[in-house]
Each structure stands twice: as C-alpha cells, then as structure tokens.
Amino acid sequence: IHILSVSGTHVAIVAGLLLALFFFLPFRARRLAVLPPLFLYALSTGMREPAIRAFLMLAAFLSFRSFLYRTNPLNTLFFIAFLLILWEPQCVMHSGVHYSFLCVGVLLCVPKRVKAFESAMFPDLAFIPGAFAPKRLLWGRRLVFRTFRAVFACGAVFLAATALTMLHQGLFPIASMAANLVLIPLSSLIFLFTGIAGVSIGIPLLREPASKLLESGFSALGTVCDFFAGFAPHPQASPPVWSVFAFLIALFVFLCADRRAWILAATVALVALPIFWRFRTTGLPME
C-alpha cells in the first residue's frame, strides 16, 4: 500500500527525472531549477506530510549543492527536522516523522559500513584499476557492488523500520517479516506488469496476455497475504520502549563505529534484543 500511495519516494523519483531533464543547464542552475516544479508536484498531492517532508529534505540538499556548500548529510537531516518542528511542534509525536527521519538517517550511515565490507569481502575486485580490468570483469564488479549495496541498505532500513513498527503496533510473528520480503519485490513487478499492460492496449495480439500477466500479479499478492496470515491469528504485546531505543542505538553503532569491538558489541545487541522480545511475551494474556 505504501508503494502505491503518494510518499517521499515519489517526490525523490520526480526530482531525479527533473535533474535528468534539465541536463543542459549548468550545475548550480540545474539544482535550483528543479525546486519550483518539485514544489508544484508536492502541492498537487494535497500538501501531504510525507511529500512535504521529502520536498524540504531535497530542497535543503539541492540548495546547499547549488552554492557548492558541503556539510555532513546528518547535519542537513537535523536542519530539516528543526524546520519541521518550528513549522509544527506536534510533528515530533507523529509516527510518520519517526519513520522518515530514522530511515533516511540509516541510509546516510550505510555507505561507510558498506565500503568497509566491500574491501574486506572483495579485496581482489576493489584494487583492480578500471583502465586495466577486462570489460567483463569491470561490469561484473559493478553488478556485485551495486547489488550488495542495495541489499545492505534495504536490510538496514528494514531493521530500523521493524523496530519502530513493533513500538507503535506491537510485536508480530517472524512470518510477517517474511511476508514483507516477498511482497516488496512482488509489488515492484506489478508496476512492470502495469506498464506492459498499458503499452499493450493498442496492440490486440498482446492485450489479452498482458492483462492476464497483470491479473496473475495481483492474484499472487492475495495468495502471499493469505498464506502468511495464518501464522498471526492474534496481535502480540509491545516491547519495552527502552529496548527499542537500545536496538536503534546498536544499529547506528554497527553502521558508524570504527573499532571492531564496538561493531561486535552492536552485532550481539542486534541479535540478543529480538530474542528478548520474543521470549518476554511468553505467557502474557492475548489482550
């Protein structure tokens, strides 16, 4: 549902398209030229909070870049949070604000840990100069690196969002995590199927197969939901607030720490806390 609704992701996609369309403008002018049409898009969504938050983040980032001003990305994130709190102090109580800033913060911390893992996991690939590497090896290296970065970033954000979800909605079975991991790529495929069906409207020979492909995608969504729903007949209790904060702190330590001892301690906490959440609810009444 989140992928199909207006969210900050869509604002980022529009910003990327606008940057590509304004390729003929100079570096600084291009970033400033993106802001007015991007604001109109956010305005067209009804000024929904996710769209406005994403616009403010992108506006600050693009404005800083247009003035060639470099700063720590986390400083930019806190600056936007400061502006939002000035605009609406009550936003600190909204779960959507928690999700937005926490997930973006995790994404900003991911590159440091990813680079460390890449150099450790792929030492041979990391030090081959691109000019001397065979093209097949070069493209293979890019594919491996980009796949690893995408999987690692999605996994880190998924952990952060899962902790917040349990705080706001209560503990849920492991099956719901598996359901999300299956549904997310499946819903992305439905976008592809929808595009194929839309293009095939004017082609009688392809119209029926394309519509069946789209129908099978939606049917698969229902099948996955029905399958995993059987594992969660009742809601679970909520974890202690302190343990959720401890989990999030451990996640940031794991992403940002330099010393192996800190990384190891954070890893142990990230494993131990979910186990604690699981067994803490044993024997509690269902209500």
Side-chain angles (χ1 to χ4, degrees):
I1 293 173
H2 178 75
I3 293 175
L4 295 173
S5 65
V6 176
S7 67
T9 303
H10 297 82
V11 179
I13 292 172
V14 172
L17 292 173
L18 291 172
L19 284 171
L21 289 174
F22 294 154
F23 69 94
F24 54 88
L25 293 176
F27 180 86
R28 293 180 174 184
R30 189 184 350 169
R31 275 141 187 81
L32 293 177
V34 165
L35 296 181
L38 192 63
F39 176 74
L40 290 177
Y41 174 75
L43 194 64
S44 70
T45 66
M47 296 290 285
R48 297 188 61 188
E49 289 185 5
I52 294 301
R53 285 196 298 268
F55 170 76
L56 287 176
M57 291 183 186
L58 286 164
F61 174 74
L62 293 174
S63 299
F64 290 156
R65 295 295 292 131
S66 66
F67 290 101
L68 305 181
Y69 179 71
R70 291 184 177 273
T71 182
N72 189 317
L74 287 175
N75 288 346
T76 305
L77 189 67
F78 283 116
F79 174 67
I80 300 305
F82 171 72
L83 293 181
L84 279 176
I85 293 173
L86 283 181
W87 174 48
E88 185 186 358
Q90 295 292 333
C91 73
V92 296
M93 304 301 294
H94 297 170
S95 59
V97 174
H98 302 164
Y99 277 105
S100 294
F101 284 91
L102 179 65
C103 292
V104 174
V106 168
L107 284 175
L108 293 176
C109 295
V110 160
K112 179 179 180 180
R113 183 59 55 225
V114 165
K115 290 179 181 178
F117 278 147
E118 284 179 354
S119 60
M121 295 172 62
F122 313 109
D124 296 334
L125 295 177
F127 296 102
I128 298 177
F132 297 96
K135 287 187 177 181
R136 181 180 299 179
L137 179 61
L138 188 62
W139 283 104
R141 178 176 63 178
R142 288 178 180 174
L143 179 62
V144 170
F145 281 1
R146 290 180 180 178
T147 303
F148 175 73
R149 291 166 188 168
V151 172
F152 188 91
C154 289
V157 172
F158 187 78
L159 286 176
T162 297
L164 270 186
T165 300
M166 289 189 292
L167 180 63
H168 289 293
Q169 300 181 14
L171 291 169
F172 46 78
I174 300 299
S176 59
M177 295 186 187
N180 275 285
L181 291 174
V182 175
L183 289 172
I184 289 172
L186 183 58
S187 59
S188 300
L189 282 176
I190 288 178
F191 275 102
L192 175 62
F193 297 161
T194 304
I196 294 173
V199 173
S200 304
I201 289 177
I203 307 175
L205 188 63
L206 299 178
R207 189 182 306 159
E208 186 176 352
S211 62
K212 287 184 178 180
L213 185 66
L214 182 59
E215 184 179 353
S216 65
F218 282 111
S219 176
L221 280 180
T223 301
V224 171
C225 292
D226 291 340
F227 175 78
F228 285 104
F231 295 96
H234 300 287
Q236 300 286 335
S238 297
V241 176
W242 67 264
S243 64
V244 174
F245 276 98
F247 184 86
L248 295 175
I249 291 171
L251 180 60
F252 277 98
V253 170
F254 174 79
L255 294 174
C256 301
D258 293 319
R259 296 184 179 181
R260 292 186 177 180
W262 283 103
I263 297 174
L264 180 61
T267 304
V268 171
L270 291 175
V271 174
L273 284 171
I275 296 174
F276 165 72
W277 293 337
R278 170 63 184 86
F279 288 101
R280 177 185 176 276
T281 60
T282 301
L284 292 178
M286 279 299 179
E287 59 270 15

